Amino acid sequence: MAAPTGLFRRLLSTQFTGILSRIQGSSGPSFHQQRCRLSRTTNCYHEGASAGIDIGLPERKVSKRRFMREQTIELRKIKKNVELERAARRRTLLVPLDEVYEESSRSSGQFQTRRMAHHYGIFADLFDSADFLDVVPMTICYECSDGESVMPVYTGNVVTPTEACKAPSVSYDSTKDSLWTLMLTNPDGHLQDNQAEYIHWLVGNIPGDAVSDGDVLLDYLPPFPARGTGYHRLVYVLFQQNGKVDYSQETVSLPCTSLQDRTFSTLEFYRKYQDMITPAGLRFFQCRWDESVQGIYHNILNMREPVFEYDFPPTFLAPQKKWPHKKPLHYLEHFMPKE
């Protein structure tokens, strides 16, 4: 038996957010209020010249009185539903988790997304610690090789390079007359400059949520985290445009396989077009090396695959004490001659 839709999903999303809040600490809104109080002073949670500055769209506010009234009506209907009570008692009740997640994303999920982005250092590395709310949540899904299942992108989940070998499907709530800019960047993958990024996908002037109808400034390039460099953050940022933007300075010859042309800075890009674009949505995932990365370097980038090894520092050895106190018997073995 399927659970009823409507406000019932909103009730479940409220409970879902409460469970996340108990696990992670304080809830989203209270964290937001506390952070706003600190951002008015010099003491901010996150370092950076732009820390405490909100560069995004205003928060979506819901009338509390209207929500409580609808919640009361829905609870009364649920209590009178005999079949729903029987299914819950027999443990045959099916809860639509996807719908609950969508409802949670529209309500308090925007605060949770911002909190996770601060935890992963997304705002510090891309926007100099300036942040924004995930007002327009995106649904991003990579199609798996079997053609039946998909790999979604949330806020920090792991997606392998094999799963992300093709451009994903991206959808979000928008009107047909609105214009958007979508970008995918990697702040951890540059091979020569630690302060630079690699842009993997950039589409501008998207009408509504039809990403395929937008102006492709840079075609999709699969993630290629080098071996030995650990997990990389791949970040999707959705910008809302005030009108059509002239991106003629950003165009390159497609398909673009030059890493020099893909060297990017999100902060400089935003400063250049900040009068026309506003950050509205955020999603990101983690990615590390697998066997498919070698094919990306050889077949797409036409270069040898770099391999990095970690240079372990020498073991720290404290100075020897003449009268060691409460030390084990083998204490002097560290200071004995090797021969």
Side-chain angles (χ1 to χ4, degrees), residues 68-87:
M68 294 299 296
R69 182 171 63 252
E70 294 178 355
Q71 183 181 26
T72 303
I73 296 174
E74 188 69 20
L75 285 174
R76 291 176 181 174
K77 292 181 180 180
I78 293 174
K79 291 180 179 179
K80 294 180 181 179
N81 193 331
V82 180
E83 295 181 359
L84 184 63
E85 186 275 334
R86 185 185 300 112

PDB file of all heavy atoms in Angstrom, residues 68-87:
ATOM      1  N   MET A  68       0.915  25.236   9.777  1.00  0.00           N
ATOM      2  CA  MET A  68       0.329  24.571  10.933  1.00  0.00           C
ATOM      3  C   MET A  68      -1.138  24.224  10.681  1.00  0.00           C
ATOM      4  O   MET A  68      -1.616  23.171  11.105  1.00  0.00           O
ATOM      5  CB  MET A  68       0.459  25.476  12.166  1.00  0.00           C
ATOM      6  CG  MET A  68       1.890  25.710  12.612  1.00  0.00           C
ATOM      7  SD  MET A  68       2.754  24.194  13.077  1.00  0.00           S
ATOM      8  CE  MET A  68       1.793  23.695  14.493  1.00  0.00           C
ATOM      9  N   ARG A  69      -1.847  25.104   9.976  1.00  0.00           N
ATOM     10  CA  ARG A  69      -3.247  24.816   9.678  1.00  0.00           C
ATOM     11  C   ARG A  69      -3.364  23.610   8.737  1.00  0.00           C
ATOM     12  O   ARG A  69      -4.193  22.706   8.970  1.00  0.00           O
ATOM     13  CB  ARG A  69      -3.909  26.041   9.058  1.00  0.00           C
ATOM     14  CG  ARG A  69      -5.400  25.850   8.764  1.00  0.00           C
ATOM     15  CD  ARG A  69      -6.079  27.142   8.362  1.00  0.00           C
ATOM     16  NE  ARG A  69      -5.525  27.666   7.108  1.00  0.00           N
ATOM     17  CZ  ARG A  69      -4.755  28.739   7.042  1.00  0.00           C
ATOM     18  NH1 ARG A  69      -4.423  29.402   8.152  1.00  0.00           N
ATOM     19  NH2 ARG A  69      -4.302  29.163   5.880  1.00  0.00           N
ATOM     20  N   GLU A  70      -2.549  23.576   7.689  1.00  0.00           N
ATOM     21  CA  GLU A  70      -2.587  22.442   6.786  1.00  0.00           C
ATOM     22  C   GLU A  70      -2.108  21.166   7.470  1.00  0.00           C
ATOM     23  O   GLU A  70      -2.622  20.076   7.190  1.00  0.00           O
ATOM     24  CB  GLU A  70      -1.714  22.736   5.563  1.00  0.00           C
ATOM     25  CG  GLU A  70      -2.227  23.873   4.696  1.00  0.00           C
ATOM     26  CD  GLU A  70      -1.309  24.145   3.533  1.00  0.00           C
ATOM     27  OE1 GLU A  70      -0.239  23.499   3.468  1.00  0.00           O
ATOM     28  OE2 GLU A  70      -1.649  25.004   2.693  1.00  0.00           O
ATOM     29  N   GLN A  71      -1.149  21.300   8.366  1.00  0.00           N
ATOM     30  CA  GLN A  71      -0.659  20.131   9.090  1.00  0.00           C
ATOM     31  C   GLN A  71      -1.741  19.548   9.981  1.00  0.00           C
ATOM     32  O   GLN A  71      -1.909  18.320  10.056  1.00  0.00           O
ATOM     33  CB  GLN A  71       0.569  20.516   9.921  1.00  0.00           C
ATOM     34  CG  GLN A  71       1.206  19.342  10.653  1.00  0.00           C
ATOM     35  CD  GLN A  71       2.387  19.776  11.482  1.00  0.00           C
ATOM     36  OE1 GLN A  71       2.469  20.924  11.896  1.00  0.00           O
ATOM     37  NE2 GLN A  71       3.308  18.872  11.733  1.00  0.00           N
ATOM     38  N   THR A  72      -2.499  20.401  10.654  1.00  0.00           N
ATOM     39  CA  THR A  72      -3.576  19.924  11.520  1.00  0.00           C
ATOM     40  C   THR A  72      -4.649  19.206  10.712  1.00  0.00           C
ATOM     41  O   THR A  72      -5.142  18.137  11.106  1.00  0.00           O
ATOM     42  CB  THR A  72      -4.191  21.105  12.280  1.00  0.00           C
ATOM     43  OG1 THR A  72      -3.175  21.770  13.028  1.00  0.00           O
ATOM     44  CG2 THR A  72      -5.278  20.611  13.234  1.00  0.00           C
ATOM     45  N   ILE A  73      -5.024  19.758   9.573  1.00  0.00           N
ATOM     46  CA  ILE A  73      -6.035  19.126   8.719  1.00  0.00           C
ATOM     47  C   ILE A  73      -5.550  17.771   8.215  1.00  0.00           C
ATOM     48  O   ILE A  73      -6.296  16.780   8.202  1.00  0.00           O
ATOM     49  CB  ILE A  73      -6.383  20.056   7.544  1.00  0.00           C
ATOM     50  CG1 ILE A  73      -7.026  21.341   8.066  1.00  0.00           C
ATOM     51  CG2 ILE A  73      -7.325  19.355   6.566  1.00  0.00           C
ATOM     52  CD1 ILE A  73      -7.271  22.380   6.991  1.00  0.00           C
ATOM     53  N   GLU A  74      -4.288  17.704   7.799  1.00  0.00           N
ATOM     54  CA  GLU A  74      -3.754  16.453   7.286  1.00  0.00           C
ATOM     55  C   GLU A  74      -3.638  15.399   8.379  1.00  0.00           C
ATOM     56  O   GLU A  74      -3.907  14.208   8.139  1.00  0.00           O
ATOM     57  CB  GLU A  74      -2.377  16.708   6.661  1.00  0.00           C
ATOM     58  CG  GLU A  74      -1.795  15.523   5.921  1.00  0.00           C
ATOM     59  CD  GLU A  74      -2.560  15.212   4.653  1.00  0.00           C
ATOM     60  OE1 GLU A  74      -3.285  16.095   4.152  1.00  0.00           O
ATOM     61  OE2 GLU A  74      -2.410  14.069   4.168  1.00  0.00           O
ATOM     62  N   LEU A  75      -3.276  15.794   9.580  1.00  0.00           N
ATOM     63  CA  LEU A  75      -3.191  14.840  10.683  1.00  0.00           C
ATOM     64  C   LEU A  75      -4.556  14.262  11.018  1.00  0.00           C
ATOM     65  O   LEU A  75      -4.670  13.064  11.342  1.00  0.00           O
ATOM     66  CB  LEU A  75      -2.579  15.522  11.909  1.00  0.00           C
ATOM     67  CG  LEU A  75      -1.066  15.763  11.877  1.00  0.00           C
ATOM     68  CD1 LEU A  75      -0.622  16.573  13.086  1.00  0.00           C
ATOM     69  CD2 LEU A  75      -0.309  14.442  11.820  1.00  0.00           C
ATOM     70  N   ARG A  76      -5.563  15.071  10.948  1.00  0.00           N
ATOM     71  CA  ARG A  76      -6.914  14.568  11.201  1.00  0.00           C
ATOM     72  C   ARG A  76      -7.333  13.542  10.150  1.00  0.00           C
ATOM     73  O   ARG A  76      -7.967  12.531  10.475  1.00  0.00           O
ATOM     74  CB  ARG A  76      -7.897  15.730  11.243  1.00  0.00           C
ATOM     75  CG  ARG A  76      -7.724  16.649  12.464  1.00  0.00           C
ATOM     76  CD  ARG A  76      -8.663  17.842  12.381  1.00  0.00           C
ATOM     77  NE  ARG A  76      -8.492  18.726  13.535  1.00  0.00           N
ATOM     78  CZ  ARG A  76      -9.101  19.908  13.672  1.00  0.00           C
ATOM     79  NH1 ARG A  76      -9.941  20.342  12.716  1.00  0.00           N
ATOM     80  NH2 ARG A  76      -8.886  20.644  14.749  1.00  0.00           N
ATOM     81  N   LYS A  77      -6.979  13.819   8.897  1.00  0.00           N
ATOM     82  CA  LYS A  77      -7.308  12.859   7.851  1.00  0.00           C
ATOM     83  C   LYS A  77      -6.556  11.544   8.042  1.00  0.00           C
ATOM     84  O   LYS A  77      -7.103  10.467   7.818  1.00  0.00           O
ATOM     85  CB  LYS A  77      -6.963  13.461   6.481  1.00  0.00           C
ATOM     86  CG  LYS A  77      -7.844  14.629   6.074  1.00  0.00           C
ATOM     87  CD  LYS A  77      -7.431  15.129   4.692  1.00  0.00           C
ATOM     88  CE  LYS A  77      -8.298  16.308   4.263  1.00  0.00           C
ATOM     89  NZ  LYS A  77      -7.902  16.826   2.907  1.00  0.00           N
ATOM     90  N   ILE A  78      -5.291  11.649   8.461  1.00  0.00           N
ATOM     91  CA  ILE A  78      -4.497  10.437   8.656  1.00  0.00           C
ATOM     92  C   ILE A  78      -5.055   9.591   9.796  1.00  0.00           C
ATOM     93  O   ILE A  78      -5.135   8.359   9.711  1.00  0.00           O
ATOM     94  CB  ILE A  78      -3.027  10.824   8.917  1.00  0.00           C
ATOM     95  CG1 ILE A  78      -2.411  11.455   7.676  1.00  0.00           C
ATOM     96  CG2 ILE A  78      -2.209   9.614   9.348  1.00  0.00           C
ATOM     97  CD1 ILE A  78      -1.015  11.984   7.880  1.00  0.00           C
ATOM     98  N   LYS A  79      -5.474  10.233  10.882  1.00  0.00           N
ATOM     99  CA  LYS A  79      -6.012   9.490  12.014  1.00  0.00           C
ATOM    100  C   LYS A  79      -7.329   8.790  11.677  1.00  0.00           C
ATOM    101  O   LYS A  79      -7.661   7.756  12.250  1.00  0.00           O
ATOM    102  CB  LYS A  79      -6.212  10.441  13.191  1.00  0.00           C
ATOM    103  CG  LYS A  79      -4.916  10.940  13.801  1.00  0.00           C
ATOM    104  CD  LYS A  79      -5.170  11.879  14.973  1.00  0.00           C
ATOM    105  CE  LYS A  79      -3.860  12.357  15.578  1.00  0.00           C
ATOM    106  NZ  LYS A  79      -4.083  13.295  16.712  1.00  0.00           N
ATOM    107  N   LYS A  80      -8.079   9.351  10.731  1.00  0.00           N
ATOM    108  CA  LYS A  80      -9.350   8.741  10.337  1.00  0.00           C
ATOM    109  C   LYS A  80      -9.183   7.685   9.254  1.00  0.00           C
ATOM    110  O   LYS A  80     -10.153   6.991   8.933  1.00  0.00           O
ATOM    111  CB  LYS A  80     -10.303   9.835   9.838  1.00  0.00           C
ATOM    112  CG  LYS A  80     -10.725  10.821  10.907  1.00  0.00           C
ATOM    113  CD  LYS A  80     -11.664  11.872  10.340  1.00  0.00           C
ATOM    114  CE  LYS A  80     -12.079  12.875  11.409  1.00  0.00           C
ATOM    115  NZ  LYS A  80     -12.988  13.929  10.856  1.00  0.00           N
ATOM    116  N   ASN A  81      -7.989   7.565   8.693  1.00  0.00           N
ATOM    117  CA  ASN A  81      -7.744   6.596   7.622  1.00  0.00           C
ATOM    118  C   ASN A  81      -7.464   5.229   8.233  1.00  0.00           C
ATOM    119  O   ASN A  81      -6.382   4.981   8.789  1.00  0.00           O
ATOM    120  CB  ASN A  81      -6.562   7.057   6.760  1.00  0.00           C
ATOM    121  CG  ASN A  81      -6.452   6.285   5.467  1.00  0.00           C
ATOM    122  OD1 ASN A  81      -6.843   5.122   5.384  1.00  0.00           O
ATOM    123  ND2 ASN A  81      -5.918   6.939   4.455  1.00  0.00           N
ATOM    124  N   VAL A  82      -8.437   4.344   8.138  1.00  0.00           N
ATOM    125  CA  VAL A  82      -8.307   3.017   8.748  1.00  0.00           C
ATOM    126  C   VAL A  82      -7.290   2.171   7.998  1.00  0.00           C
ATOM    127  O   VAL A  82      -6.499   1.432   8.604  1.00  0.00           O
ATOM    128  CB  VAL A  82      -9.680   2.316   8.786  1.00  0.00           C
ATOM    129  CG1 VAL A  82      -9.559   0.938   9.419  1.00  0.00           C
ATOM    130  CG2 VAL A  82     -10.689   3.161   9.533  1.00  0.00           C
ATOM    131  N   GLU A  83      -7.289   2.237   6.672  1.00  0.00           N
ATOM    132  CA  GLU A  83      -6.365   1.433   5.879  1.00  0.00           C
ATOM    133  C   GLU A  83      -4.913   1.836   6.142  1.00  0.00           C
ATOM    134  O   GLU A  83      -4.024   0.982   6.196  1.00  0.00           O
ATOM    135  CB  GLU A  83      -6.686   1.591   4.393  1.00  0.00           C
ATOM    136  CG  GLU A  83      -8.056   1.047   4.007  1.00  0.00           C
ATOM    137  CD  GLU A  83      -8.308   1.204   2.533  1.00  0.00           C
ATOM    138  OE1 GLU A  83      -7.403   1.751   1.847  1.00  0.00           O
ATOM    139  OE2 GLU A  83      -9.373   0.786   2.056  1.00  0.00           O
ATOM    140  N   LEU A  84      -4.677   3.121   6.307  1.00  0.00           N
ATOM    141  CA  LEU A  84      -3.324   3.589   6.601  1.00  0.00           C
ATOM    142  C   LEU A  84      -2.857   3.087   7.950  1.00  0.00           C
ATOM    143  O   LEU A  84      -1.710   2.650   8.116  1.00  0.00           O
ATOM    144  CB  LEU A  84      -3.289   5.118   6.560  1.00  0.00           C
ATOM    145  CG  LEU A  84      -1.918   5.772   6.744  1.00  0.00           C
ATOM    146  CD1 LEU A  84      -0.983   5.384   5.612  1.00  0.00           C
ATOM    147  CD2 LEU A  84      -2.049   7.283   6.812  1.00  0.00           C
ATOM    148  N   GLU A  85      -3.752   3.097   8.931  1.00  0.00           N
ATOM    149  CA  GLU A  85      -3.398   2.598  10.264  1.00  0.00           C
ATOM    150  C   GLU A  85      -3.130   1.107  10.222  1.00  0.00           C
ATOM    151  O   GLU A  85      -2.192   0.610  10.863  1.00  0.00           O
ATOM    152  CB  GLU A  85      -4.528   2.934  11.238  1.00  0.00           C
ATOM    153  CG  GLU A  85      -4.232   2.590  12.693  1.00  0.00           C
ATOM    154  CD  GLU A  85      -4.558   1.141  13.030  1.00  0.00           C
ATOM    155  OE1 GLU A  85      -5.428   0.577  12.351  1.00  0.00           O
ATOM    156  OE2 GLU A  85      -3.905   0.583  13.941  1.00  0.00           O
ATOM    157  N   ARG A  86      -3.930   0.366   9.456  1.00  0.00           N
ATOM    158  CA  ARG A  86      -3.739  -1.084   9.355  1.00  0.00           C
ATOM    159  C   ARG A  86      -2.419  -1.408   8.668  1.00  0.00           C
ATOM    160  O   ARG A  86      -1.710  -2.333   9.084  1.00  0.00           O
ATOM    161  CB  ARG A  86      -4.907  -1.695   8.584  1.00  0.00           C
ATOM    162  CG  ARG A  86      -4.850  -3.237   8.527  1.00  0.00           C
ATOM    163  CD  ARG A  86      -5.951  -3.820   7.665  1.00  0.00           C
ATOM    164  NE  ARG A  86      -7.262  -3.461   8.190  1.00  0.00           N
ATOM    165  CZ  ARG A  86      -8.105  -2.645   7.593  1.00  0.00           C
ATOM    166  NH1 ARG A  86      -7.766  -2.075   6.440  1.00  0.00           N
ATOM    167  NH2 ARG A  86      -9.289  -2.378   8.117  1.00  0.00           N
ATOM    168  N   ALA A  87      -2.089  -0.672   7.608  1.00  0.00           N
ATOM    169  CA  ALA A  87      -0.830  -0.925   6.913  1.00  0.00           C
ATOM    170  C   ALA A  87       0.371  -0.614   7.795  1.00  0.00           C
ATOM    171  O   ALA A  87       1.369  -1.336   7.779  1.00  0.00           O
ATOM    172  CB  ALA A  87      -0.773  -0.096   5.632  1.00  0.00           C
TER     173      ALA A  87
END
